[in-house]
Amino acid sequence: MGVFDNAKDAAEATGKKIGEWADDTKERISDKVDEVQADAEVKKAEGDVRKAEAERDATEAKNEYKEKLRD
């Protein structure tokens, strides 16, 4: 029985280690996905800011042009 118990303990320990490795890998992948999504949101927000700034500049230019026509 000693050899069987030792083999059983080794198998359980190996199974536990594999389970922990799988959980860690799953968590790392999840963390990376979260990071990529956050980066994408930042890039989208930066693009929105650039678009808003361009619209603002275009409106200012239009208003300046109209003001010059009034003079």
Side-chain angles (χ1 to χ4, degrees):
M1 279 282 203
V3 172
F4 178 73
D5 289 336
N6 288 342
K8 181 181 173 186
D9 289 344
E12 287 175 358
T14 301
K16 183 177 178 184
K17 194 69 169 173
I18 290 172
E20 290 172 357
W21 174 83
D23 289 342
D24 289 346
T25 300
K26 177 183 165 191
E27 191 171 327
R28 283 187 185 107
I29 291 169
S30 177
D31 291 347
K32 190 63 175 176
V33 167
D34 291 345
E35 184 179 322
V36 169
Q37 287 175 339
D39 286 344
E41 288 179 24
V42 167
K43 289 189 187 307
K44 182 186 181 306
E46 288 172 345
D48 291 346
V49 167
R50 283 191 295 273
K51 179 182 176 189
E53 288 173 340
E55 290 174 359
R56 177 200 62 204
D57 293 346
T59 300
E60 287 176 359
K62 176 191 74 168
N63 289 343
E64 287 175 6
Y65 175 75
K66 287 170 60 177
E67 189 61 36
K68 288 180 183 178
L69 288 178
R70 289 186 197 113
D71 290 338

Coordinates of all heavy atoms in Angstrom, one line a residue:
M1 N 0.8 -1.2 0.0 CA 0.0 0.0 0.0 C 0.8 1.3 0.0 O 0.4 2.3 -0.5 CB -0.9 0.0 1.2 CG -2.1 -0.8 1.1 SD -3.3 0.1 0.1 CE -4.8 -0.7 0.5
G2 N 2.0 1.2 0.5 CA 2.9 2.4 0.6 C 3.2 3.0 -0.8 O 3.2 4.2 -1.0
V3 N 3.5 2.2 -1.7 CA 3.8 2.6 -3.1 C 2.6 3.2 -3.7 O 2.7 4.3 -4.4 CB 4.4 1.5 -3.9 CG1 4.6 1.9 -5.4 CG2 5.7 1.0 -3.4
F4 N 1.5 2.6 -3.5 CA 0.2 3.1 -4.1 C -0.1 4.4 -3.5 O -0.5 5.3 -4.2 CB -0.9 2.0 -3.9 CG -2.2 2.5 -4.4 CD1 -2.5 2.5 -5.8 CD2 -3.2 2.9 -3.5 CE1 -3.7 2.9 -6.2 CE2 -4.5 3.3 -4.0 CZ -4.7 3.4 -5.4
D5 N 0.0 4.6 -2.2 CA -0.3 5.8 -1.5 C 0.7 6.9 -2.0 O 0.2 8.1 -2.2 CB -0.2 5.7 0.0 CG -1.3 4.9 0.6 OD1 -2.4 4.8 -0.1 OD2 -1.2 4.3 1.7
N6 N 1.9 6.6 -2.2 CA 2.9 7.6 -2.7 C 2.6 8.0 -4.1 O 2.6 9.2 -4.4 CB 4.3 7.0 -2.6 CG 4.9 6.9 -1.2 OD1 4.3 7.5 -0.3 ND2 5.9 6.1 -1.0
A7 N 2.2 7.1 -4.9 CA 1.8 7.4 -6.3 C 0.5 8.2 -6.3 O 0.4 9.2 -7.1 CB 1.6 6.1 -7.1
K8 N -0.4 7.9 -5.5 CA -1.6 8.7 -5.4 C -1.3 10.1 -4.9 O -1.9 11.1 -5.5 CB -2.6 8.0 -4.4 CG -3.9 8.7 -4.3 CD -4.8 8.0 -3.3 CE -6.1 8.8 -3.0 NZ -6.9 8.2 -1.9
D9 N -0.5 10.3 -3.9 CA -0.1 11.6 -3.4 C 0.6 12.4 -4.5 O 0.3 13.6 -4.7 CB 0.8 11.5 -2.2 CG 0.0 11.0 -1.0 OD1 -1.3 11.1 -1.0 OD2 0.7 10.6 0.0
A10 N 1.5 11.7 -5.2 CA 2.2 12.4 -6.3 C 1.2 12.8 -7.4 O 1.4 14.0 -8.0 CB 3.3 11.5 -6.9
A11 N 0.3 12.0 -7.8 CA -0.7 12.3 -8.8 C -1.6 13.5 -8.4 O -1.8 14.4 -9.2 CB -1.5 11.1 -9.1
E12 N -2.0 13.5 -7.1 CA -2.8 14.6 -6.6 C -2.0 15.9 -6.6 O -2.6 16.9 -7.0 CB -3.3 14.3 -5.2 CG -4.4 13.2 -5.2 CD -4.8 12.8 -3.7 OE1 -4.2 13.3 -2.8 OE2 -5.7 12.0 -3.6
A13 N -0.8 15.8 -6.2 CA 0.1 17.0 -6.2 C 0.3 17.6 -7.6 O 0.2 18.8 -7.8 CB 1.4 16.7 -5.5
T14 N 0.5 16.6 -8.5 CA 0.7 17.0 -9.9 C -0.6 17.7 -10.4 O -0.6 18.7 -11.1 CB 1.1 15.8 -10.8 OG1 2.3 15.3 -10.2 CG2 1.3 16.2 -12.2
G15 N -1.7 17.0 -10.2 CA -3.0 17.6 -10.6 C -3.3 18.9 -10.0 O -3.7 19.8 -10.7
K16 N -2.9 19.1 -8.8 CA -3.1 20.4 -8.1 C -2.2 21.5 -8.8 O -2.7 22.6 -9.1 CB -2.8 20.3 -6.6 CG -3.0 21.6 -5.9 CD -2.8 21.4 -4.4 CE -3.0 22.8 -3.7 NZ -2.7 22.7 -2.3
K17 N -1.0 21.1 -9.1 CA 0.0 22.0 -9.7 C -0.5 22.4 -11.1 O -0.4 23.6 -11.5 CB 1.3 21.4 -9.7 CG 2.4 22.3 -10.0 CD 2.6 23.3 -8.9 CE 3.9 24.1 -9.0 NZ 4.1 25.1 -8.0
I18 N -1.0 21.4 -11.8 CA -1.5 21.7 -13.2 C -2.7 22.6 -13.1 O -2.9 23.6 -13.9 CB -1.8 20.4 -13.9 CG1 -0.6 19.7 -14.3 CG2 -2.7 20.7 -15.2 CD1 -0.8 18.3 -14.8
G19 N -3.6 22.4 -12.1 CA -4.8 23.2 -11.9 C -4.4 24.7 -11.6 O -5.0 25.6 -12.2
E20 N -3.4 24.8 -10.7 CA -2.9 26.2 -10.4 C -2.3 26.9 -11.6 O -2.5 28.0 -11.8 CB -1.9 26.1 -9.3 CG -2.5 25.7 -7.9 CD -1.4 25.4 -6.9 OE1 -0.2 25.5 -7.2 OE2 -1.8 25.2 -5.7
W21 N -1.5 26.1 -12.4 CA -0.9 26.6 -13.6 C -2.0 27.1 -14.6 O -1.9 28.2 -15.2 CB 0.0 25.6 -14.3 CG 0.5 26.0 -15.6 CD1 1.6 26.8 -15.8 CD2 0.0 25.8 -16.9 NE1 1.8 27.0 -17.1 CE2 0.8 26.4 -17.8 CE3 -1.1 25.0 -17.3 CZ2 0.6 26.3 -19.2 CZ3 -1.3 25.0 -18.7 CH2 -0.5 25.6 -19.6
A22 N -3.0 26.3 -14.7 CA -4.1 26.7 -15.7 C -4.8 27.9 -15.2 O -5.2 28.8 -16.0 CB -5.1 25.5 -15.8
D23 N -5.1 28.0 -13.9 CA -5.8 29.2 -13.3 C -4.9 30.4 -13.5 O -5.4 31.5 -13.9 CB -6.1 29.0 -11.8 CG -7.2 28.0 -11.6 OD1 -8.0 27.7 -12.5 OD2 -7.3 27.5 -10.4
D24 N -3.6 30.3 -13.2 CA -2.7 31.4 -13.4 C -2.6 31.9 -14.9 O -2.6 33.1 -15.2 CB -1.3 31.0 -12.9 CG -1.1 30.9 -11.4 OD1 -2.1 31.4 -10.7 OD2 -0.1 30.4 -11.0
T25 N -2.6 30.9 -15.8 CA -2.5 31.2 -17.2 C -3.8 31.9 -17.6 O -3.8 32.9 -18.4 CB -2.3 30.0 -18.0 OG1 -1.1 29.4 -17.6 CG2 -2.3 30.3 -19.5
K26 N -5.0 31.4 -17.2 CA -6.2 32.0 -17.5 C -6.3 33.5 -17.0 O -6.7 34.4 -17.7 CB -7.4 31.2 -16.9 CG -8.7 31.8 -17.0 CD -9.8 31.0 -16.3 CE -11.1 31.7 -16.2 NZ -12.0 31.1 -15.3
E27 N -5.8 33.7 -15.8 CA -5.8 35.0 -15.2 C -4.8 36.0 -15.9 O -5.2 37.1 -16.2 CB -5.4 34.9 -13.7 CG -5.6 36.2 -12.9 CD -5.4 36.1 -11.4 OE1 -5.6 35.0 -10.9 OE2 -4.9 37.0 -10.8
R28 N -3.7 35.5 -16.3 CA -2.7 36.3 -17.1 C -3.4 36.7 -18.4 O -3.2 37.9 -18.9 CB -1.5 35.5 -17.4 CG -0.5 35.5 -16.2 CD 0.8 34.8 -16.6 NE 1.6 34.7 -15.4 CZ 1.9 33.5 -14.8 NH1 1.4 32.4 -15.3 NH2 2.7 33.5 -13.7
I29 N -4.0 35.8 -19.1 CA -4.7 36.1 -20.4 C -5.8 37.1 -20.1 O -5.9 38.1 -20.9 CB -5.2 34.8 -21.0 CG1 -4.1 33.9 -21.5 CG2 -6.2 35.2 -22.2 CD1 -4.5 32.5 -21.9
S30 N -6.6 37.0 -19.1 CA -7.6 37.9 -18.8 C -7.0 39.3 -18.5 O -7.6 40.3 -19.0 CB -8.4 37.4 -17.6 OG -9.4 38.3 -17.2
D31 N -5.9 39.3 -17.8 CA -5.3 40.6 -17.5 C -4.8 41.3 -18.8 O -5.0 42.5 -18.9 CB -4.1 40.4 -16.5 CG -4.5 40.0 -15.1 OD1 -5.7 40.1 -14.8 OD2 -3.7 39.6 -14.3
K32 N -4.3 40.5 -19.7 CA -3.8 41.0 -21.0 C -4.9 41.6 -21.8 O -4.8 42.6 -22.4 CB -3.0 40.0 -21.7 CG -2.2 40.5 -22.9 CD -1.2 41.5 -22.5 CE -0.4 42.0 -23.7 NZ 0.6 43.0 -23.3
V33 N -6.0 40.8 -21.8 CA -7.2 41.3 -22.6 C -7.7 42.6 -22.0 O -8.0 43.6 -22.7 CB -8.3 40.2 -22.5 CG1 -9.7 40.8 -23.0 CG2 -7.9 39.0 -23.4
D34 N -7.8 42.7 -20.7 CA -8.2 44.0 -20.0 C -7.3 45.1 -20.4 O -7.7 46.2 -20.7 CB -8.2 43.8 -18.5 CG -9.3 42.9 -18.0 OD1 -10.2 42.6 -18.8 OD2 -9.2 42.5 -16.8
E35 N -6.0 44.8 -20.4 CA -5.0 45.8 -20.8 C -5.1 46.3 -22.2 O -5.1 47.5 -22.5 CB -3.6 45.3 -20.6 CG -2.4 46.2 -20.8 CD -1.1 45.6 -20.6 OE1 -1.0 44.7 -19.7 OE2 -0.2 45.9 -21.4
V36 N -5.4 45.4 -23.1 CA -5.6 45.7 -24.5 C -6.8 46.5 -24.7 O -6.9 47.5 -25.5 CB -5.6 44.5 -25.4 CG1 -6.0 44.7 -26.8 CG2 -4.2 43.8 -25.4
Q37 N -7.9 46.2 -24.0 CA -9.1 46.9 -24.1 C -9.0 48.3 -23.6 O -9.5 49.3 -24.1 CB -10.3 46.2 -23.4 CG -10.7 44.9 -24.1 CD -11.8 44.1 -23.2 OE1 -11.8 44.3 -22.0 NE2 -12.5 43.3 -23.9
A38 N -8.3 48.5 -22.5 CA -8.0 49.8 -21.9 C -7.2 50.7 -22.9 O -7.5 51.8 -23.1 CB -7.3 49.7 -20.6
D39 N -6.2 50.1 -23.5 CA -5.4 50.8 -24.5 C -6.3 51.2 -25.7 O -6.1 52.4 -26.2 CB -4.2 50.0 -25.0 CG -3.1 49.8 -24.0 OD1 -3.1 50.6 -23.0 OD2 -2.3 48.9 -24.2
A40 N -7.2 50.4 -26.1 CA -8.1 50.7 -27.2 C -9.0 51.9 -26.8 O -9.2 52.8 -27.6 CB -8.9 49.5 -27.6
E41 N -9.5 51.9 -25.6 CA -10.3 52.9 -25.1 C -9.6 54.3 -25.1 O -10.1 55.3 -25.4 CB -10.9 52.6 -23.8 CG -12.0 51.5 -23.8 CD -12.5 51.2 -22.4 OE1 -12.4 52.1 -21.5 OE2 -13.0 50.1 -22.2
V42 N -8.3 54.2 -24.6 CA -7.5 55.4 -24.6 C -7.3 56.0 -26.0 O -7.4 57.2 -26.3 CB -6.2 55.1 -23.9 CG1 -5.2 56.3 -24.1 CG2 -6.4 54.9 -22.4
K43 N -7.0 55.1 -26.9 CA -6.7 55.5 -28.3 C -8.0 56.1 -28.9 O -8.0 57.1 -29.6 CB -6.2 54.4 -29.2 CG -4.8 54.0 -28.8 CD -4.2 53.0 -29.8 CE -2.9 52.4 -29.4 NZ -1.9 53.4 -29.1
K44 N -9.2 55.5 -28.6 CA -10.4 56.1 -29.1 C -10.7 57.4 -28.5 O -11.1 58.4 -29.2 CB -11.6 55.1 -28.8 CG -12.9 55.6 -29.3 CD -14.1 54.7 -28.9 CE -15.4 55.2 -29.4 NZ -15.8 56.6 -29.2
A45 N -10.4 57.6 -27.2 CA -10.7 58.9 -26.6 C -9.7 59.9 -27.1 O -10.1 61.1 -27.4 CB -10.5 58.7 -25.1
E46 N -8.5 59.5 -27.4 CA -7.5 60.5 -28.0 C -8.0 60.9 -29.4 O -7.9 62.1 -29.7 CB -6.1 59.9 -28.0 CG -5.5 59.7 -26.7 CD -4.2 58.9 -26.7 OE1 -3.9 58.2 -27.7 OE2 -3.4 59.0 -25.7
G47 N -8.5 59.9 -30.1 CA -9.0 60.3 -31.5 C -10.2 61.2 -31.4 O -10.3 62.1 -32.2
D48 N -11.1 61.0 -30.4 CA -12.2 61.8 -30.2 C -11.8 63.3 -29.8 O -12.4 64.2 -30.3 CB -13.2 61.3 -29.1 CG -13.9 60.0 -29.5 OD1 -13.9 59.7 -30.7 OD2 -14.4 59.3 -28.6
V49 N -10.7 63.4 -29.0 CA -10.2 64.7 -28.6 C -9.7 65.4 -29.9 O -10.0 66.6 -30.1 CB -9.2 64.6 -27.5 CG1 -8.4 65.9 -27.4 CG2 -9.8 64.1 -26.2
R50 N -8.9 64.7 -30.7 CA -8.3 65.3 -31.9 C -9.4 65.8 -32.8 O -9.4 66.8 -33.4 CB -7.4 64.3 -32.6 CG -6.0 64.2 -31.9 CD -5.0 63.5 -32.8 NE -5.4 62.1 -33.0 CZ -5.1 61.1 -32.2 NH1 -4.4 61.3 -31.1 NH2 -5.4 59.8 -32.5
K51 N -10.5 65.0 -33.0 CA -11.6 65.3 -33.8 C -12.3 66.6 -33.3 O -12.6 67.5 -34.0 CB -12.6 64.2 -33.9 CG -13.8 64.5 -34.8 CD -14.8 63.3 -34.8 CE -16.0 63.7 -35.6 NZ -17.1 62.8 -35.5
A52 N -12.5 66.6 -32.0 CA -13.2 67.8 -31.4 C -12.3 69.0 -31.5 O -12.8 70.1 -31.8 CB -13.5 67.5 -29.9
E53 N -11.0 68.9 -31.4 CA -10.1 70.0 -31.5 C -10.1 70.5 -33.0 O -10.1 71.7 -33.2 CB -8.7 69.7 -31.1 CG -8.5 69.5 -29.6 CD -7.1 69.0 -29.3 OE1 -6.5 68.4 -30.1 OE2 -6.8 69.1 -28.1
A54 N -10.2 69.6 -34.0 CA -10.2 70.0 -35.4 C -11.5 70.7 -35.7 O -11.5 71.7 -36.4 CB -10.1 68.8 -36.3
E55 N -12.6 70.2 -35.1 CA -13.9 70.9 -35.3 C -13.9 72.3 -34.7 O -14.4 73.2 -35.3 CB -15.0 70.0 -34.7 CG -15.3 68.8 -35.5 CD -16.3 67.9 -34.8 OE1 -16.8 68.2 -33.7 OE2 -16.6 66.8 -35.4
R56 N -13.3 72.4 -33.5 CA -13.2 73.7 -32.9 C -12.4 74.7 -33.7 O -12.8 75.8 -33.9 CB -12.6 73.6 -31.5 CG -12.3 74.9 -30.8 CD -11.3 74.8 -29.7 NE -10.0 74.5 -30.3 CZ -9.0 73.9 -29.6 NH1 -9.2 73.5 -28.4 NH2 -7.9 73.6 -30.2
D57 N -11.3 74.2 -34.2 CA -10.4 75.0 -35.0 C -11.1 75.5 -36.3 O -11.0 76.6 -36.8 CB -9.1 74.3 -35.3 CG -8.2 74.1 -34.1 OD1 -8.5 74.7 -33.1 OD2 -7.3 73.3 -34.2
A58 N -11.9 74.5 -36.9 CA -12.6 74.9 -38.1 C -13.7 75.9 -37.9 O -13.9 76.8 -38.6 CB -13.2 73.6 -38.7
T59 N -14.3 75.8 -36.7 CA -15.4 76.7 -36.4 C -14.8 78.1 -36.1 O -15.3 79.1 -36.6 CB -16.1 76.3 -35.1 OG1 -16.7 75.0 -35.4 CG2 -17.2 77.3 -34.7
E60 N -13.6 78.2 -35.4 CA -13.0 79.4 -35.2 C -12.5 80.1 -36.5 O -12.7 81.3 -36.7 CB -11.7 79.2 -34.3 CG -12.1 78.9 -32.8 CD -10.9 78.6 -32.0 OE1 -9.7 78.6 -32.5 OE2 -11.0 78.4 -30.8
A61 N -12.0 79.3 -37.4 CA -11.6 79.8 -38.7 C -12.8 80.3 -39.5 O -12.7 81.4 -40.1 CB -10.8 78.7 -39.5
K62 N -13.9 79.6 -39.5 CA -15.1 80.0 -40.2 C -15.6 81.4 -39.6 O -15.9 82.3 -40.3 CB -16.2 79.0 -40.1 CG -17.5 79.4 -40.7 CD -18.6 78.4 -40.3 CE -18.9 78.7 -38.9 NZ -20.1 78.1 -38.4
N63 N -15.6 81.4 -38.2 CA -16.1 82.6 -37.6 C -15.2 83.8 -37.9 O -15.7 85.0 -38.1 CB -16.2 82.4 -36.1 CG -17.4 81.5 -35.8 OD1 -18.3 81.3 -36.6 ND2 -17.4 81.0 -34.6
E64 N -13.9 83.6 -37.9 CA -12.9 84.7 -38.2 C -13.1 85.2 -39.6 O -13.1 86.4 -39.9 CB -11.5 84.2 -38.0 CG -11.1 84.1 -36.5 CD -9.7 83.5 -36.4 OE1 -9.0 83.3 -37.4 OE2 -9.4 83.2 -35.2
Y65 N -13.3 84.2 -40.5 CA -13.6 84.6 -41.9 C -14.9 85.4 -42.1 O -14.9 86.5 -42.7 CB -13.7 83.3 -42.8 CG -14.0 83.6 -44.2 CD1 -13.1 84.1 -45.1 CD2 -15.3 83.4 -44.7 CE1 -13.4 84.4 -46.4 CE2 -15.7 83.6 -46.0 CZ -14.7 84.1 -46.9 OH -15.1 84.4 -48.2
K66 N -15.9 85.0 -41.4 CA -17.2 85.7 -41.4 C -17.0 87.1 -40.8 O -17.6 88.1 -41.3 CB -18.3 84.9 -40.7 CG -18.7 83.7 -41.5 CD -19.6 82.8 -40.7 CE -20.9 83.4 -40.3 NZ -21.8 82.4 -39.6
E67 N -16.2 87.2 -39.8 CA -16.0 88.5 -39.1 C -15.3 89.4 -40.1 O -15.6 90.6 -40.1 CB -15.2 88.3 -37.8 CG -15.1 89.5 -37.0 CD -16.5 90.1 -36.5 OE1 -17.4 89.3 -36.2 OE2 -16.6 91.3 -36.4
K68 N -14.3 88.9 -40.8 CA -13.6 89.8 -41.8 C -14.5 90.2 -42.9 O -14.3 91.4 -43.4 CB -12.4 89.0 -42.3 CG -11.3 88.8 -41.4 CD -10.1 88.0 -42.0 CE -9.0 87.8 -41.0 NZ -7.9 87.0 -41.5
L69 N -15.4 89.4 -43.3 CA -16.4 89.8 -44.3 C -17.3 90.9 -43.8 O -17.7 91.8 -44.6 CB -17.2 88.6 -44.8 CG -16.5 87.5 -45.6 CD1 -17.5 86.4 -45.8 CD2 -16.0 88.1 -46.9
R70 N -17.5 91.0 -42.6 CA -18.4 92.0 -42.0 C -17.7 93.4 -42.0 O -18.3 94.4 -42.0 CB -18.8 91.6 -40.6 CG -19.8 90.5 -40.6 CD -20.4 90.3 -39.2 NE -21.0 89.0 -39.1 CZ -20.5 88.0 -38.4 NH1 -19.5 88.1 -37.6 NH2 -21.2 86.8 -38.4
D71 N -16.4 93.4 -41.9 CA -15.6 94.6 -41.8 C -15.5 95.4 -43.1 O -15.7 95.1 -44.2 CB -14.2 94.4 -41.3 CG -14.2 93.9 -39.8 OD1 -15.1 94.2 -39.1 OD2 -13.2 93.3 -39.4

